[in-house]
Amino acid sequence: VGAFTLVVHGGAGDHRPETLAAREAALTRALDRGWAILAAGGTALDACQEAIVELEDEPVFDAGLGAHLNRDGRVELDAILMDGATLAAGAVGAVERIRNPILLARRILADGRHILIAGAGAELFAIEHGMSLCNPGELITDSERARWRESKAQASHGTVGAVACDATGSIAAGTSTGGTFLKHPGRIGDSPLVGCGCYADNLSAAVSCTGHGESIMKVVMAKAAADLVATGHMPQAAADRALQVMTDRTGRNGGLILVDRTGAAGAAFSTAKMPWGIRNSAGLTQIQP
Amino acid sequence: VGAFTLVVHGGAGDHRPETLAAREAALTRALDRGWAILAAGGTALDACQEAIVELEDEPVFDAGLGAHLNRDGRVELDAILMDGATLAAGAVGAVERIRNPILLARRILADGRHILIAGAGAELFAIEHGMSLCNPGELITDSERARWRESKAQASHGTVGAVACDATGSIAAGTSTGGTFLKHPGRIGDSPLVGCGCYADNLSAAVSCTGHGESIMKVVMAKAAADLVATGHMPQAAADRALQVMTDRTGRNGGLILVDRTGAAGAAFSTAKMPWGIRNSAGLTQIQP
């Protein structure tokens, strides 16, 4: 049995002091939930999925319940899961009636025919695969409704993500988000795009990104970070370097978490904060809320 | 004034002998239309856009008019344009009422707030930016309707694309497609995804891909090809190598065209055919329909 590791994040940005305790508790729950899977010999893919469900369900993050509202006052969610063992991935963009979009991403991955399905077509896929739809209003919290009514342009960085290495040395990654505050309806950000907001390949690394989505897309940041690991960079150096390239080329900020097949991890961010946490089989547990 | 080059493709696949003349004529028209812009000192971005409009309007290709129908008998189109000078990009996914999706991609690029907008939200963006919507039925040809009625699973590879280097040494790329025959509603393939079906960066190369979309996504093929140019490969070697990695990792086929800032180009495909053509300021015109 090899070393195993789980890393989670709650989005690069300028997080409010008043939500510090909620962030810390949610990161702890997400690590616990994913860790239970890894410790029982489960897969990195399952660990990422379950950690992300926990973070989607926490209103303080911009994913699932409590996501930012778009320009028209609606929640539209993006999510992806990717399996480094097979390069299989499943992703959804701009879904409105899915309580846990990471679970729909998993169904698309398991189905195997497509990787990314958006909007009403993704909700149709959910119905056809036995998932129930929620009322779009169920995803909207009072505080997000109030923020939308004020409509002050604010940085929006509460994307969540997870990367894991399991005891067999296989890796996986996932990312889930409500996207930018006041985004245009139908906008899909970097999060659900293979290579941009997420990437996992057992030959390189598993990566989950957060930050200014369009800038992350321009440099294809997750794949760039994984490629740095493939060419010999240690995970922390790869995370630092990929982020530096993004900020150099675009002038915008973000962050990422990364793990390789040995269980070695890296985390980097250029924003004021990026809540994140790590647990590994060497006994390390660290939470930076 | 530096060397300038335009390369176009009509999709990697097993194209029918009976459409050979139509493919050749359309590739010629696309080269003519884009070339008129480059020869007048216009930008690589405009040249790609106009070449792709010509290919979208040709029913023989799987883009714009004459695109493959999805599972439910509807046309859903994906397209992207990317400017290597700025890394700016615009893209649409799963739009049903846009006659030339590459023109909507251009509006999204020009707007600059987002990169990818999907489905009904993208059509809303079009209306808000003064574009008229078409009737979805206008995009459906008799032959595609007949193919759908028979519903025989067939390889579907008529994606179109263009890459260009203009006289200032700036490069751009674009890709447009109707996606796979009988795809699930809402499915977005590699084509409109930055780094997968398209990439352009003046520091590396401009690339447009075609083939099995989900496999291209898994290896982020356009960005991989551009990275090979950045690390010293000649364009043809980069195209060959990126395609080899895709087929090695996924067992699926595809193709790509590529140009760098010097106007040097490459084209590669592992399918039976990939209609493509090139024209450059050294006097070369070559069409392989």
Side-chain angles (χ1 to χ4, degrees), chain A residues 40-54:
Chain A
T43 66
L45 192 66
D46 285 337
C48 286
Q49 172 188 306
E50 292 303 308
I52 289 171
V53 166
E54 194 67 43

Side-chain angles (χ1 to χ4, degrees), chain A residues 71-72 82 87-88 113-118 121 124-125 128 180 183-188 193-196 199 201 203 214 217-220 223 227 249, chain B residues 71-72 82 87-88 113-118 121 124-125 128 180 183-188 193-196 199 201 203 214 217-220 223 227 249:
Chain A
R71 189 197 68 181
D72 293 352
M82 186 165 184
L87 302 180
R113 282 175 299 170
H114 299 317
I115 289 178
L116 175 59
I117 307 181
L124 180 63
F125 184 99
E128 291 172 352
T180 49
K183 67 184 177 184
H184 193 283
R187 178 262 192 182
I188 296 177
L193 307 187
V194 174
C196 296
Y199 198 67
D201 181 355
L203 301 190
E214 280 73 11
M217 290 162 81
K218 287 176 181 176
V219 300
V220 196
K223 178 63 155 55
D227 285 346
R249 296 298 302 277
Chain B
R71 189 195 68 180
D72 293 353
M82 185 164 185
L87 301 180
R113 282 174 298 169
H114 299 316
I115 289 178
L116 174 59
I117 308 181
L124 180 64
F125 183 99
E128 291 171 353
T180 49
K183 68 185 178 184
H184 193 284
R187 178 262 192 182
I188 296 176
L193 306 188
V194 174
C196 296
Y199 198 67
D201 181 355
L203 301 191
E214 280 73 11
M217 291 162 80
K218 287 175 182 177
V219 300
V220 197
K223 178 63 155 56
D227 286 346
R249 296 298 302 277

Side-chain angles (χ1 to χ4, degrees), chain B residues 55-197:
Chain B
L55 298 170
E56 287 177 339
D57 288 343
E58 167 53 58
V60 81
F61 298 122
D62 177 29
L65 176 68
H68 292 321
L69 304 194
N70 71 8
R71 189 195 68 180
D72 293 353
R74 306 201 315 261
V75 162
E76 292 186 322
L77 302 172
D78 300 341
I80 184 170
L81 262 183
M82 185 164 185
D83 184 355
T86 59
L87 301 180
V92 296
V95 294
E96 300 190 52
R97 297 186 290 167
I98 304 294
R99 194 162 181 96
N100 287 109
I102 201 72
L103 297 180
L104 179 52
R106 180 60 181 268
R107 301 280 179 116
I108 292 168
L109 184 156
D111 177 71
R113 282 174 298 169
H114 299 316
I115 289 178
L116 174 59
I117 308 181
E123 294 169 4
L124 180 64
F125 183 99
I127 295 167
E128 291 171 353
H129 289 75
M131 289 180 72
S132 54
L133 302 186
C134 68
N135 183 313
E138 287 175 41
L139 298 169
I140 301 177
T141 56
D142 291 344
S143 67
E144 289 300 324
R145 175 70 72 191
R147 186 199 297 260
W148 182 79
R149 288 217 175 97
E150 294 166 23
S151 279
K152 288 178 188 153
Q154 284 169 284
S156 127
H157 304 293
T159 296
V160 306
V163 297
C165 169
D166 63 32
T168 71
S170 196
I171 57 178
T175 306
S176 182
T177 191
T180 49
F181 182 50
L182 301 181
K183 68 185 178 184
H184 193 284
R187 178 262 192 182
I188 296 176
D190 66 299
S191 301
L193 306 188
V194 174
C196 296

Side-chain angles (χ1 to χ4, degrees), chain A:
Chain A
V1 176
F4 47 103
T5 303
L6 175 64
V7 190
V8 298
H9 74 77
D14 185 14
H15 290 270
R16 293 162 288 176
E18 60 267 34
T19 61
L20 181 73
R23 295 198 303 268
E24 183 161 20
L27 292 170
T28 303
R29 292 196 307 273
L31 283 178
D32 286 347
R33 188 160 170 171
W35 191 255
I37 291 164
L38 294 177
T43 66
L45 192 66
D46 285 337
C48 286
Q49 172 188 306
E50 292 303 308
I52 289 171
V53 166
E54 194 67 43
L55 297 170
E56 286 178 339
D57 287 342
E58 168 54 58
V60 81
F61 298 122
D62 176 29
L65 177 67
H68 292 320
L69 304 195
N70 72 8
R71 189 197 68 181
D72 293 352
R74 306 201 314 262
V75 162
E76 291 185 322
L77 302 172
D78 301 340
I80 184 171
L81 262 183
M82 186 165 184
D83 182 356
T86 59
L87 302 180
V92 296
V95 294
E96 299 190 53
R97 298 185 291 167
I98 304 293
R99 193 164 181 94
N100 288 108
I102 201 71
L103 297 180
L104 179 52
R106 179 60 181 267
R107 301 280 180 115
I108 292 168
L109 184 157
D111 177 69
R113 282 175 299 170
H114 299 317
I115 289 178
L116 175 59
I117 307 181
E123 294 169 4
L124 180 63
F125 184 99
I127 294 168
E128 291 172 352
H129 289 75
M131 288 180 72
S132 53
L133 301 186
C134 69
N135 184 315
E138 287 175 38
L139 299 168
I140 301 177
T141 57
D142 290 344
S143 66
E144 289 300 324
R145 175 69 74 192
R147 184 200 298 260
W148 183 78
R149 289 218 175 95
E150 295 168 20
S151 278
K152 287 178 190 154
Q154 284 171 285
S156 126
H157 304 291
T159 296
V160 305
V163 297
C165 170
D166 62 34
T168 72
S170 196
I171 57 179
T175 306
S176 182
T177 190
T180 49
F181 182 50
L182 301 181
K183 67 184 177 184
H184 193 283
R187 178 262 192 182
I188 296 177
D190 65 298
S191 301
L193 307 187
V194 174
C196 296
C198 179
Y199 198 67
D201 181 355
N202 279 5
L203 301 190
S204 55
V207 188
S208 174
C209 299
T210 165
H212 185 249
E214 280 73 11
S215 297
I216 291 169
M217 290 162 81
K218 287 176 181 176
V219 300
V220 196
M221 189 163 80
K223 178 63 155 55
D227 285 346
L228 288 166
V229 172
T231 56
H233 289 71
M234 295 297 290
Q236 184 60 46
D240 289 339
R241 175 81 190 123
L243 184 61
Q244 189 66 50
V245 168
M246 195 273 277
T247 52
D248 286 351
R249 296 298 302 277
T250 68
R252 303 298 291 255
N253 292 314
L256 68 165
I257 57 174
L258 190 152
V259 70
D260 71 12
R261 287 195 77 170
T262 70
F269 54 98
S270 55
T271 46
K273 275 198 179 289
M274 180 181 78
W276 69 284
I278 180 170
R279 186 172 302 174
N280 71 26
S281 55
L284 171 72
T285 297
Q286 191 180 322
I287 291 176
Q288 307 270 359

